Amino acid sequence: MSENASNTVDLPPGVARVTAALAGLGHPHAPVMLDDAARTAQQAADALGVALGQIAKSIIFRRKTDDVAVLVVTSGDLRVDEKKVQAIVCAEGGKLGRADADFVKDKTGFSIGGVSPLAHASSPVTLIDEKLFRFDVIWAAAGHPHGVFRLSPDDLRRLTGAPVHDVTVPPSV
């Protein structure tokens, strides 16, 4: 892992955008660039030497009624329950849909595998899963498959202003 985040000239554009947003919000931990890509939560956990659940993965849905991006930030070891999210962010009868790579890039400014929970091209409707609060320290994507940054679940809530909900599928017993 390299600590070159202080020199934004050398950073990919998405990571530079996240770095500037974090600095502007007074967050003490700048993004770091991993030697290997962390396109999945498991890859990120392995690279950082942390539990899979400590990876704050960003899942983007498309709200069909108005074509707005819906961002759900959840633990890497859990699956999002689309029906729970739909009940929270859609009006009666409204539906969520899957977001393809073009939609994600257009709405967030990031490619799948590097979607940060902040510094989006256009503001998404954002939800934070309550299960992230099992951990004191979590890691989120920083705008590029090699970029991550450290934070706490409370930092995530403060940085995004997003509400916390139960939005995951109960684990299988």
Side-chain angles (χ1 to χ4, degrees), residues 65-88:
T65 53
D66 56 5
D67 215 34
V68 166
V70 175
L71 167 64
V72 179
V73 185
T74 189
S75 290
D77 61 345
L78 298 174
R79 263 188 35 245
V80 172
D81 185 330
E82 195 172 327
K83 288 185 174 152
K84 287 181 181 179
V85 174
Q86 183 173 288
I88 297 165

Side-chain angles (χ1 to χ4, degrees), residues 91-111:
E92 182 82 23
K95 299 284 184 199
L96 278 185
R98 300 280 174 181
D100 64 20
D102 290 338
F103 179 85
V104 172
K105 181 73 171 179
D106 180 56
K107 296 293 184 177
T108 70
F110 305 117
S111 297

Side-chain angles (χ1 to χ4, degrees), residues 37 69 80 107 111-112 114 116 130 135 147 151:
V80 172
K107 296 293 184 177
S111 297
I112 291 174
S116 173
E130 66 186 16
F135 303 99
L151 70 166

Side-chain angles (χ1 to χ4, degrees), residues 20-33:
L22 289 171
L25 293 166
H27 187 66
H29 302 288
V32 294
M33 296 301 287

Side-chain angles (χ1 to χ4, degrees), residues 7-170:
N7 183 0
T8 57
V9 175
D10 297 337
L11 295 176
V15 180
R17 197 165 76 238
V18 172
T19 299
L22 289 171
L25 293 166
H27 187 66
H29 302 288
V32 294
M33 296 301 287
L34 301 172
D35 293 332
D36 295 316
R39 292 182 191 280
T40 68
Q42 187 65 63
Q43 288 172 333
D46 291 346
L48 292 164
V50 300
L52 180 58
Q54 286 180 268
I55 303 303
K57 65 181 177 182
S58 295
I59 308 296
I60 300 285
F61 294 97
R62 173 185 253 160
R63 190 165 59 190
K64 291 182 177 182
T65 53
D66 56 5
D67 215 34
V68 166
V70 175
L71 167 64
V72 179
V73 185
T74 189
S75 290
D77 61 345
L78 298 174
R79 263 188 35 245
V80 172
D81 185 330
E82 195 172 327
K83 288 185 174 152
K84 287 181 181 179
V85 174
Q86 183 173 288
I88 297 165
V89 302
C90 294
E92 182 82 23
K95 299 284 184 199
L96 278 185
R98 300 280 174 181
D100 64 20
D102 290 338
F103 179 85
V104 172
K105 181 73 171 179
D106 180 56
K107 296 293 184 177
T108 70
F110 305 117
S111 297
I112 291 174
V115 176
S116 173
L118 67 151
H120 289 231
S122 59
S123 295
V125 172
T126 304
L127 301 176
I128 299 170
D129 183 51
E130 66 186 16
K131 309 289 186 318
L132 276 169
F133 288 80
R134 299 175 287 163
F135 303 99
D136 293 331
V137 173
I138 57 175
W139 291 82
H144 185 275
H146 288 255
V148 294
F149 68 98
R150 176 189 168 131
L151 70 166
S152 71
D154 282 325
D155 291 334
L156 180 62
R157 183 173 26 201
R158 179 181 62 81
L159 293 168
T160 63
V164 177
H165 290 277
D166 171 11
V167 293
T168 56
V169 174

